[in-house]
Amino acid sequence: MMHLNLGAKAAGGLTILCLGSHSDDIEIGCGGTILRLADQHPGCEFHWVVFSAIGVREAEARQAARLFASSRLKGPLLKTFQDGFMPYVGGEVKAVFEKELKQLSPDLIFTHNGNDAHQDHRLISELTWNTFRDHFILEYEIPKYDGDLGQPSVFVPLEGEACQRKVRHIMEAFQSQHRKPWFQPDTFLSLMRLRGMECNASSGYAEAFYCRKLVM
Ligand SMILES: [Zn+2]
């Protein structure tokens, strides 16, 4: 399998927009890729948006963004939409895209998978495509009870150390989620191990994404 890279602009600094419905979505979905990009391209900057970061989860989202993006972090922009209700206040969510995000011109955008089983995730994905119509968008995956994992098309191999660092940051930042039986290092490592196998990663680990449009 031939590997593509991000091209010459990556060396000078990429503007990367990370969008997540809830605290912990960005980190679970593409945290390893963010760590790899930050390691490989020191000039990149990360714009970080979480649409539901309420109470303790606001502080957790802030801490996690710092852990993952460190000094390359712009923001984060944290909103307080109620978990599970975003499609029902879709106009207000869209206004955030129109008024606070549209002026950005990111080189790369991470957002939710458009076929995700969670209604909030689907809305953020749809509004990403509504707003950024001539941009490079990768849609990440989130494991969940609904069992909506599919067949992604883009794979980012990750070193084992980066995977361990991703999981360590997630467990450290999102203490309020430890009570959920699935919120364990094994869950996150298992998915990365399977995606790593599927792309024949030398380390054995990868994150995977859905890509609707790619220009070479
Ligand atoms: Zn979520």
Side-chain angles (χ1 to χ4, degrees):
M1 176 64 73
M2 195 171 76
H3 288 210
L4 300 177
N5 61 40
L6 289 173
K9 186 163 193 296
L14 295 169
T15 299
I16 300 167
L17 175 60
C18 305
L19 300 168
S21 296
H22 315 107
S23 301
D24 75 16
D25 284 336
I26 295 170
E27 294 82 356
I28 293 171
C30 58
T33 301
I34 287 168
L35 292 173
R36 181 179 145 178
L37 287 168
D39 287 346
Q40 287 186 335
H41 307 292
C44 63
E45 60 180 37
F46 294 93
H47 294 260
W48 203 278
V49 186
V50 176
F51 287 84
S52 180
I54 303 170
V56 66
R57 305 209 71 192
E58 190 262 345
E60 291 180 347
R62 198 174 293 283
Q63 183 189 358
R66 266 201 308 270
L67 284 172
F68 277 87
S70 61
S71 60
R72 301 173 188 88
L73 179 65
K74 299 289 169 189
L77 179 62
L78 304 176
K79 296 294 176 181
T80 55
F81 293 102
Q82 188 180 353
D83 188 342
F85 286 74
M86 285 182 210
Y88 312 107
V89 289
E92 294 172 39
V93 182
K94 184 171 172 61
V96 174
F97 278 86
E98 289 292 323
K99 293 177 184 163
E100 300 184 68
L101 302 178
K102 196 166 189 167
Q103 76 277 11
L104 293 173
S105 188
D107 301 297
L108 171 58
I109 301 172
F110 292 111
T111 193
H112 289 280
N113 173 13
N115 293 317
D116 194 294
H118 195 298
Q119 64 273 28
D120 294 346
H121 296 179
R122 286 196 305 277
L123 179 73
I124 297 304
S125 182
E126 182 182 335
L127 292 174
T128 305
W129 286 97
N130 287 170
T131 309
F132 300 101
R133 299 173 58 214
D134 185 27
H135 291 75
F136 180 34
I137 299 175
L138 291 176
E139 303 180 354
Y140 58 77
E141 54 182 354
I142 302 283
K144 60 177 72 64
Y145 289 134
D146 314 69
D148 63 356
L149 294 176
Q151 200 168 18
S153 49
V154 173
F155 294 82
V156 178
L158 299 170
E159 294 301 324
E161 182 278 329
C163 297
Q164 295 291 344
R165 195 158 27 121
K166 164 185 170 172
V167 172
R168 208 166 51 240
H169 288 342
I170 288 174
M171 298 308 292
E172 180 185 337
F174 300 109
Q175 303 266 339
S176 74
Q177 303 304 294
H178 289 197
R179 60 190 162 76
K180 294 179 176 171
W182 61 269
F183 201 96
Q184 295 182 355
D186 274 1
T187 308
F188 309 124
L189 287 168
S190 301
L191 182 55
M192 290 190 284
R193 181 69 185 89
L194 283 173
R195 296 315 188 193
M197 180 272 293
E198 289 175 344
C199 71
N200 197 19
S202 59
S203 66
Y205 291 93
E207 284 176 341
F209 301 88
Y210 296 86
C211 180
R212 301 191 205 181
K213 188 171 75 171
L214 179 66
V215 180
M216 288 179 63

